[in-house]
Amino acid sequence: MFGWTGTILRIDLTKGTVTREATDPKVAHDYIGARGLGGHIIRTEVDPKTDALSPKNKLIFAPGPLTGTFAPSAGRYNVVTKGPLNDVLAASNSGGAFGPELKYAGYDAVIIEGKAAKPVYVWIKNAEVEIRDAGTIWGHDTQDTTDLVRAETDEDAKVACIGPAGEHLALLANIMNEMHRAAGRTGVGAVMGSKNLKAVAVMGSGAVEVADQEGFKAAVMKARQMIQAHPVGGAGLKAYGTAVLINIMNQMGALPTRNFQYGYFPTADKTGGETVAAKLLVRPKGCFSCIISCGRVTKVDNPAYQGFGEGPEYEPDWAFGADCGVDDLDAITKAHYLTNEYGLDAISMGSTVACAMELFERGIITTKDTDGVQLTFGNAAAMVEMVRKAGEGEGFGAKLAQGSYRLAESYGHPEYSMTCKKQEMPAYDPRGVQGIGLNYATGNRGGCHVRGYTIAIEILQNGAVMDPHVTEGKAGLDITFQDLTAALDSSGACLFSTFGIGGAELVEMLSALTGVDYTLDEFMRIGERIWNQERLWNLQVGYTKVDDTLPKRLLTEPIKTGPSKGEVSHLDQMLPEYYGLRGWDENGVPTKAKLKELAL
Amino acid sequence: MFGWTGTILRIDLTKGTVTREATDPKVAHDYIGARGLGGHIIRTEVDPKTDALSPKNKLIFAPGPLTGTFAPSAGRYNVVTKGPLNDVLAASNSGGAFGPELKYAGYDAVIIEGKAAKPVYVWIKNAEVEIRDAGTIWGHDTQDTTDLVRAETDEDAKVACIGPAGEHLALLANIMNEMHRAAGRTGVGAVMGSKNLKAVAVMGSGAVEVADQEGFKAAVMKARQMIQAHPVGGAGLKAYGTAVLINIMNQMGALPTRNFQYGYFPTADKTGGETVAAKLLVRPKGCFSCIISCGRVTKVDNPAYQGFGEGPEYEPDWAFGADCGVDDLDAITKAHYLTNEYGLDAISMGSTVACAMELFERGIITTKDTDGVQLTFGNAAAMVEMVRKAGEGEGFGAKLAQGSYRLAESYGHPEYSMTCKKQEMPAYDPRGVQGIGLNYATGNRGGCHVRGYTIAIEILQNGAVMDPHVTEGKAGLDITFQDLTAALDSSGACLFSTFGIGGAELVEMLSALTGVDYTLDEFMRIGERIWNQERLWNLQVGYTKVDDTLPKRLLTEPIKTGPSKGEVSHLDQMLPEYYGLRGWDENGVPTKAKLKELAL
């Protein structure tokens, strides 16, 4: 096979066995790789009713065919599993160089199953695979873990691992690779912790075989040039990182503030990407084969929040910033460093602290609950302290580490949890941007922006323009983006490459690489197949149309201040159209005809 | 030029200027590179009477022609300067990948001169060179410094830096590259600190040009096979590291114990390389292009001394072990980790603690001097605490960090300092091995084993056999080894490659690489030239023949116990012969005829 390595590695931690199997060419064709291929394996091998933290759940690390090639930003892989935060078919997409290294080691996917009797890590060096004792590494944060595992394996090994949060089975736990890159959302780190698996280290010396060398090279060079020429992909993200969105979204009145009570944060500029660049930036950084370089290597000198690392990206910047009413960029950045070190999802963590702040200000919880901390909006030191406590699983932090839904629900007020399907929403207020609200509500992993990023059109006018405040056309826009992204994620490309290229260019590269003559229609159909695969899983888990919704606040309470004042989400106007265009019945269930069409 | 890059980089920290000059082909031919070339530059540009810690001293980082090629173990570079511990012409040889990276960046040497007004580091990326502010990096240990500098430059940058010891101008300070590789002895780290230079980071993308590709390849492959086939170079050092010598030297009765009061340590086996392998070893590790892999990646789980890193090598293992009467391998390893983190010379540090222990047991110092610590031989916790205090420059530790000569002398008892020319001797008792004693006494940088390692013949029978207890033939042996090593060090090869190859193979590789038709005679003559160059420097500094000696104890007190019981060093029998064979007069001064012969 070209593009694919043709081999899947299976590691049973209960039995301590390592086996290899051939990648099925038809499944590879129909699901491409990464998110699609991994989802297919989980759907085939794991019962949707399985307890996500039981040994019966499986954990898959899967790069895509483009991963490890010189296609632009082709450094991605997905962690696919049943996500314990909300039981969805999780596929957490991460960059860096871990995914390429898996390809060079020879694998289209690594399936981890069972549960080790005691802490272990896995060391993959090409065909040599070892399950090694991790007794003395357990308990360390992600940075020390990476160093320790590299000391025991190879200094250049690429390491994906969990921090203390994953060990404690925190439902906000993620998996970090190369210390600063995160496979986040839906609690995938807790699955790794539940298997007593501390880390996966990999080194490979193979290459990705290319079917049509000349054609691939030409397609890649064209794609690179298109990204380079794009104002966002070529210069904007490198100069200011993703946090350049802070001011943009605030000026639209759609920057969720104080747990989505407001859509405008008056001092947002103190936390924006421009300020990051001026105050903290050491250098921009790209993942493997990336020309965009949205990553921020930063350093905080302020003794109260001293540290260095990467970030803040837009989402953590907002979650620990505007959403908590905090405009101290040093504190925000420190909180982000802490989530990376403890292995916590930064979006969910910040939003959960914001939820706790609202509960506190409303008197639903008091200092008796918060271990004595005055947990008011804008209290930067308290915010950082809560992140630390959550990472340690200490006192009130242990509750925070389970996410805002369980937190608010435990105090009888789930309505203050800003979640969809129990997962915290990202930094775009659905009242100010209608399309993204529909995307959250229909999101296959709950509140999520990277599986249907309509912001690209509704705000950033990337190739087309649509008014964020209208609902017309948004159902179709959402579907197009959701399907395109599902296929793109499965290919191993980065979502940000769409700041420059589109489906046509992805198909051109993918076809030349694999020798499979994909068309754009077929590529989009594969995306639709993957989306429906995830929908079917959720229906089998027990989700129904009533879960395709947003927090009541966003549907009923108009934004109080700023440019989007007076707006609510008109989800009810968009959802039926969405179901219809999807070929689903009025309950949001895919029709038999649709499933047949998609060969599902 | 082939082998050499043809360019020397000069950085003036006072003026903040960066200039380039051509490598003089005649100097390159006559002094090869690294130790020889660097020594030539210092001798030409620095007055021997200059205060080593003044801005007028210079600091040179110099790889050799073989450095960065695939010649076996060709990862070496030298730090050349006036060494502040004892004012000698210092050339501290270190491995890893820093030296090769300097070559790839395009430099035969980097000369640092002057003194920065505030802490800085230097970032060399091929032709781009920047002097950058290090204000927030100053104060950090070598590991954090490496991480911080990499964060600011490139994750793959190779970083040489000082720790807190160098910042405090400790005379035992060294320079660490890639965290675990040390350019040690004679206090070169304090020179870096005196210049306010915290680190040098380098990335290069060039190649080493080879004159005769086929000839070089053949010579390299032959050399590699010879090393591979050698019991020490091929398997011994990889299996047990250099610390395999602990038991060997102890069985010879020549393992200095309790500050050289004894030559036999009854429980030495608890600290030997075999025990390191069984208890602490994570994996063996080689430097750039090394097939020997003497390095030890280790981990200490014992909570009292927990840590991970590299070591202990033979010398630190002995210095913190037998020499301090300590047989707790965890404590010894921890002490070694601490010296690497603080940037301290492990041999001198351990020997200085041993000296302090003897002063304490003799009642010359008391707990009033030692900040309350019961500094008795065998007290492992006290030994580790002294290393920490020396690294921090705290209390009694500040005195220890200046070395045993100044310590013992300050209490009126310099005779308890086990030093030659104020530098601590390594782990071979001159009473049990006559030739190494002559080498220490005549050593151009004081007590040192790596500039005339007669142990290879006297103990390890590497290619020849000589009784360690006799003096006959040792003057000639010393001279041959001193000259060969001076040339070898200058080529960029590793001393350990002589466990497999000799001068002939080095000459073969060097000639094919550079296109200069070196002969073995010429190579040895170059070594002799370098040795005499260093001797001339020492004479100009003010050293005389009375300094070519050993601590009185070794000349007058027979070894009390063990296999070498009753032996003393017979230096007086060997030194006149040594002077004669060297072509020096009876005062140890090179004759005019000799200098003319050597073109000095």
Side-chain angles (χ1 to χ4, degrees):
Chain A
M1 295 171 86
F2 297 101
W4 295 282
T5 67
T7 303
I8 290 172
L9 185 68
R10 190 182 291 272
I11 300 168
D12 187 320
L13 295 178
T14 304
K15 297 181 196 155
T17 55
V18 175
T19 52
R20 278 164 195 78
E21 51 211 64
T23 306
D24 181 334
K26 176 154 170 49
V27 174
H29 175 280
D30 290 356
Y31 293 88
I32 305 182
R35 174 176 164 189
L37 174 67
H40 183 268
I41 297 170
I42 292 291
R43 187 167 63 92
T44 312
E45 301 191 6
V46 177
D47 183 335
K49 298 287 190 192
T50 299
D51 177 354
L53 298 181
S54 82
K56 289 188 175 168
N57 194 6
K58 302 191 180 186
L59 183 70
I60 299 173
F61 295 84
L66 287 173
T67 308
T69 71
F70 65 109
S73 307
R76 315 295 299 186
Y77 75 102
N78 272 239
V79 173
V80 191
T81 186
K82 179 174 179 176
L85 178 69
N86 54 1
D87 295 325
V88 299
L89 185 47
S92 299
N93 191 323
S94 182
F98 180 84
E101 205 72 27
L102 274 180
K103 287 288 285 292
Y104 301 151
Y107 305 106
D108 291 321
V110 176
I111 306 172
I112 312 270
E113 43 192 49
K115 176 183 178 174
K118 55 187 182 137
V120 297
Y121 71 91
V122 167
W123 169 219
I124 301 170
K125 190 175 180 184
N126 296 313
E128 299 165 41
V129 180
E130 286 179 60
I131 302 169
R132 289 185 170 182
D133 182 79
T136 59
I137 298 175
W138 199 259
H140 284 281
D141 70 21
T142 59
Q143 303 230 14
D144 282 354
T145 298
T146 303
D147 287 342
L148 284 159
V149 171
R150 283 183 170 168
E152 290 193 11
T153 55
D154 190 295
E155 257 153 70
D156 294 322
K158 303 298 178 282
V159 178
C161 69
I162 54 171
E167 297 175 8
H168 301 152
L169 309 183
L171 298 179
L172 300 191
N174 63 14
I175 296 171
M176 302 296 298
N177 58 284
E178 291 119 282
M179 293 187 278
H180 310 291
R181 299 289 102 205
R185 317 306 330 256
T186 76
V188 298
V191 176
M192 195 154 161
S194 76
K195 298 193 173 304
N196 267 329
L197 179 63
K198 180 65 173 166
V200 176
V202 62
M203 280 279 284
S205 52
V208 180
E209 301 289 332
V210 178
D212 170 9
Q213 288 277 7
E214 285 308 303
F216 185 60
K217 188 175 165 189
V220 166
M221 286 306 161
K222 187 175 84 175
R224 286 185 164 252
Q225 280 159 17
M226 288 171 77
I227 293 168
Q228 200 69 63
H230 191 283
V232 176
L237 283 171
K238 185 164 191 173
Y240 297 119
T242 54
V244 71
L245 282 166
I246 292 277
N247 282 324
I248 295 172
M249 293 312 301
N250 200 42
Q251 282 150 22
M252 295 299 302
L255 184 71
T257 300
R258 298 190 170 214
N259 201 36
F260 285 77
Q261 292 184 92
Y262 304 87
Y264 182 76
F265 187 43
T267 52
D269 181 49
K270 289 171 69 179
T271 69
E274 300 86 342
T275 309
V276 172
K279 258 190 82 177
L280 306 179
L281 186 66
V282 171
R283 63 185 174 94
K285 184 178 163 189
C287 296
F288 176 91
S289 192
C290 179
I291 55 175
I292 298 172
S293 298
C294 70
R296 309 284 92 182
V297 177
T298 52
K299 191 165 61 157
V300 177
D301 294 330
N302 175 352
Y305 302 116
Q306 212 198 344
F308 77 102
E310 293 183 24
E313 314 303 326
Y314 172 58
E315 293 292 340
D317 195 346
W318 155 80
F320 299 119
D323 204 35
C324 289
V326 169
D327 64 9
D328 181 335
L329 184 58
D330 292 338
I332 292 165
T333 306
K334 181 68 176 183
H336 189 199
Y337 292 163
L338 288 175
T339 54
N340 285 352
E341 288 159 18
Y342 284 114
L344 281 166
D345 183 276
I347 297 176
S348 287
M349 188 70 244
S351 182
T352 300
V353 175
C355 171
M357 285 174 165
E358 182 164 0
L359 295 174
F360 188 89
E361 292 210 341
R362 290 183 184 277
I364 296 164
I365 62 173
T366 68
T367 51
K368 280 186 196 162
D369 301 287
T370 64
D371 308 332
V373 176
Q374 284 290 332
L375 200 53
T376 50
F377 283 112
N379 186 341
M383 179 274 290
V384 173
E385 174 63 4
M386 287 298 130
V387 176
R388 190 196 62 75
K389 288 175 84 80
E392 296 286 348
E394 169 192 308
F396 187 58
K399 292 196 81 161
L400 295 172
Q402 304 305 329
S404 67
Y405 179 80
R406 287 164 177 83
L407 177 78
E409 201 269 344
S410 76
Y411 293 108
H413 289 279
E415 70 275 18
Y416 297 126
S417 164
M418 293 298 110
T419 48
C420 296
K421 297 191 180 74
K422 299 184 190 163
Q423 173 160 277
E424 289 71 17
M425 293 179 292
Y428 308 92
D429 193 314
R431 295 170 294 191
V433 192
Q434 295 294 329
I436 201 75
L438 175 63
N439 177 63
Y440 292 167
T442 59
N444 279 343
R445 63 172 182 180
C448 166
H449 60 305
V450 291
R451 286 184 166 183
Y453 190 64
T454 63
I455 300 299
I457 303 294
E458 295 185 277
I459 303 289
L460 301 175
Q461 309 187 355
N462 181 29
V465 181
M466 287 176 90
D467 183 341
H469 291 162
V470 305
T471 57
E472 286 76 25
K474 295 298 169 67
L477 176 69
D478 267 274
I479 290 166
T480 301
F481 271 52
Q482 289 174 345
D483 293 350
L484 174 65
T485 306
L488 178 148
D489 283 349
S490 302
S491 75
C494 174
L495 182 57
F496 283 0
S497 63
T498 58
F499 291 115
I501 63 172
E505 288 75 22
L506 286 166
V507 165
E508 212 176 333
M509 291 190 289
L510 195 61
S511 297
L513 169 65
T514 61
V516 175
D517 208 8
Y518 284 111
T519 62
L520 182 54
D521 277 357
E522 201 177 358
F523 189 69
M524 293 300 291
R525 182 55 49 98
I526 290 171
E528 188 184 5
R529 178 180 298 123
I530 294 166
W531 189 265
N532 276 271
Q533 164 170 273
E534 292 162 349
R535 179 73 179 183
L536 286 176
W537 172 279
N538 285 353
L539 293 170
Q540 287 172 287
V541 162
Y543 283 111
T544 67
K545 71 168 179 179
V546 303
D547 300 301
D548 292 338
T549 190
L550 292 167
K552 202 174 124 200
R553 168 175 292 166
L554 307 180
L555 301 171
T556 58
E557 295 175 21
I559 292 189
K560 293 171 193 149
T561 60
S564 290
K565 188 174 173 181
E567 299 281 348
V568 293
S569 167
H570 302 294
L571 181 63
D572 56 332
Q573 295 173 21
M574 299 180 283
L575 195 59
E577 185 189 357
Y578 176 92
Y579 284 174
L581 288 173
R582 274 263 175 235
W584 296 352
D585 68 18
E586 75 262 25
N587 290 318
V589 178
T591 60
K592 289 214 164 130
K594 176 53 75 180
L595 293 180
K596 195 176 165 195
E597 181 190 321
L598 295 171
L600 271 168
Chain B
M1 294 172 88
F2 297 102
W4 296 282
T5 66
T7 304
I8 290 172
L9 185 68
R10 189 181 292 271
I11 300 169
D12 187 319
L13 295 177
T14 303
K15 297 181 194 154
T17 55
V18 176
T19 52
R20 279 163 193 79
E21 50 212 64
T23 307
D24 180 336
K26 175 155 172 45
V27 175
H29 175 280
D30 291 354
Y31 293 87
I32 306 182
R35 174 177 164 188
L37 175 67
H40 183 267
I41 297 170
I42 292 291
R43 188 168 62 92
T44 313
E45 301 190 6
V46 177
D47 182 335
K49 297 288 191 190
T50 299
D51 177 354
L53 298 181
S54 83
K56 288 188 176 168
N57 194 6
K58 301 190 181 186
L59 183 70
I60 299 173
F61 295 83
L66 287 173
T67 307
T69 70
F70 65 111
S73 307
R76 315 294 300 186
Y77 75 102
N78 273 240
V79 173
V80 191
T81 186
K82 180 175 179 177
L85 179 68
N86 53 0
D87 295 325
V88 300
L89 185 47
S92 298
N93 192 323
S94 181
F98 180 83
E101 204 73 28
L102 273 181
K103 287 289 286 291
Y104 302 150
Y107 304 107
D108 291 321
V110 177
I111 305 171
I112 312 270
E113 44 192 49
K115 176 184 178 175
K118 54 188 181 135
V120 297
Y121 71 91
V122 167
W123 168 220
I124 300 169
K125 190 175 181 185
N126 295 314
E128 298 164 42
V129 180
E130 286 178 61
I131 302 169
R132 290 184 170 183
D133 182 80
T136 59
I137 298 174
W138 199 258
H140 285 280
D141 70 21
T142 59
Q143 303 230 13
D144 282 355
T145 298
T146 303
D147 287 344
L148 284 160
V149 171
R150 283 183 169 166
E152 292 193 10
T153 56
D154 190 294
E155 258 153 70
D156 295 322
K158 303 298 178 282
V159 178
C161 68
I162 53 171
E167 297 175 7
H168 301 150
L169 309 183
L171 297 179
L172 300 191
N174 62 14
I175 296 171
M176 302 295 299
N177 58 285
E178 290 120 280
M179 292 185 282
H180 309 293
R181 297 290 100 205
R185 316 306 333 254
T186 75
V188 297
V191 176
M192 196 154 160
S194 76
K195 297 193 173 307
N196 268 328
L197 179 63
K198 180 65 172 164
V200 176
V202 61
M203 280 280 282
S205 52
V208 180
E209 300 291 332
V210 179
D212 170 9
Q213 289 277 7
E214 285 309 305
F216 185 59
K217 189 176 164 190
V220 165
M221 286 307 161
K222 187 175 84 175
R224 286 185 164 253
Q225 281 159 15
M226 289 171 76
I227 293 169
Q228 200 70 63
H230 190 282
V232 177
L237 283 170
K238 185 165 190 172
Y240 297 118
T242 54
V244 71
L245 283 166
I246 293 276
N247 281 325
I248 295 172
M249 293 312 302
N250 200 42
Q251 283 151 21
M252 295 298 303
L255 184 71
T257 299
R258 296 191 172 214
N259 201 37
F260 285 77
Q261 293 184 89
Y262 306 87
Y264 183 75
F265 187 43
T267 52
D269 181 48
K270 289 172 69 179
T271 69
E274 300 85 344
T275 309
V276 172
K279 258 191 81 176
L280 306 178
L281 186 67
V282 171
R283 64 185 173 93
K285 184 178 163 188
C287 295
F288 175 91
S289 191
C290 181
I291 55 176
I292 299 173
S293 299
C294 70
R296 310 283 90 182
V297 177
T298 51
K299 193 166 59 158
V300 177
D301 294 331
N302 174 353
Y305 302 116
Q306 211 200 344
F308 78 102
E310 295 183 24
E313 314 303 326
Y314 172 58
E315 293 291 341
D317 195 345
W318 155 79
F320 299 119
D323 204 35
C324 289
V326 169
D327 64 9
D328 180 334
L329 183 58
D330 292 338
I332 292 166
T333 306
K334 180 67 175 186
H336 189 198
Y337 292 162
L338 288 175
T339 54
N340 286 351
E341 289 160 17
Y342 285 115
L344 281 166
D345 183 275
I347 297 177
S348 286
M349 188 70 244
S351 182
T352 301
V353 174
C355 172
M357 285 174 164
E358 182 165 359
L359 295 175
F360 187 89
E361 293 209 340
R362 290 183 184 276
I364 297 165
I365 61 173
T366 69
T367 51
K368 280 185 192 159
D369 300 288
T370 64
D371 307 332
V373 176
Q374 285 290 331
L375 199 54
T376 50
F377 282 113
N379 185 342
M383 180 274 290
V384 173
E385 173 64 2
M386 286 299 130
V387 176
R388 188 196 64 74
K389 288 174 84 79
E392 296 287 347
E394 171 193 305
F396 188 59
K399 292 195 82 162
L400 295 173
Q402 304 305 328
S404 66
Y405 179 80
R406 288 166 178 80
L407 176 77
E409 202 269 342
S410 76
Y411 291 109
H413 290 278
E415 69 275 19
Y416 298 125
S417 164
M418 292 297 110
T419 49
C420 296
K421 297 189 180 76
K422 299 183 190 164
Q423 174 161 276
E424 289 71 19
M425 292 178 293
Y428 308 92
D429 193 314
R431 295 170 295 191
V433 192
Q434 295 295 329
I436 201 76
L438 175 63
N439 177 63
Y440 291 168
T442 59
N444 280 341
R445 63 173 182 179
C448 166
H449 59 306
V450 291
R451 286 185 166 181
Y453 190 66
T454 62
I455 300 299
I457 303 295
E458 296 184 278
I459 304 290
L460 301 174
Q461 309 186 353
N462 180 30
V465 181
M466 287 176 90
D467 183 340
H469 291 162
V470 305
T471 57
E472 287 73 25
K474 295 298 170 67
L477 176 70
D478 267 274
I479 290 167
T480 301
F481 271 51
Q482 289 174 346
D483 292 350
L484 174 65
T485 307
L488 179 148
D489 283 349
S490 302
S491 75
C494 174
L495 182 57
F496 284 1
S497 63
T498 58
F499 290 115
I501 63 171
E505 289 76 22
L506 286 167
V507 165
E508 211 177 334
M509 291 191 289
L510 195 61
S511 296
L513 168 66
T514 61
V516 175
D517 207 8
Y518 284 110
T519 62
L520 182 53
D521 276 356
E522 201 177 357
F523 189 69
M524 293 300 290
R525 180 58 47 99
I526 290 171
E528 188 183 5
R529 179 180 297 123
I530 294 166
W531 189 266
N532 277 272
Q533 164 171 272
E534 293 162 349
R535 179 75 179 182
L536 287 177
W537 172 278
N538 284 354
L539 293 170
Q540 288 173 288
V541 163
Y543 282 112
T544 67
K545 72 170 179 180
V546 303
D547 300 303
D548 291 339
T549 190
L550 292 168
K552 202 175 125 199
R553 166 175 294 165
L554 307 181
L555 302 171
T556 59
E557 295 176 21
I559 292 188
K560 294 171 194 147
T561 59
S564 292
K565 188 174 172 181
E567 300 279 350
V568 294
S569 167
H570 303 294
L571 181 64
D572 57 332
Q573 294 173 20
M574 299 180 282
L575 194 60
E577 185 189 359
Y578 176 92
Y579 285 174
L581 288 172
R582 274 265 175 233
W584 296 354
D585 67 20
E586 76 262 24
N587 291 317
V589 178
T591 60
K592 289 216 161 127
K594 176 53 75 179
L595 292 180
K596 196 177 166 193
E597 181 191 321
L598 295 172
L600 271 168

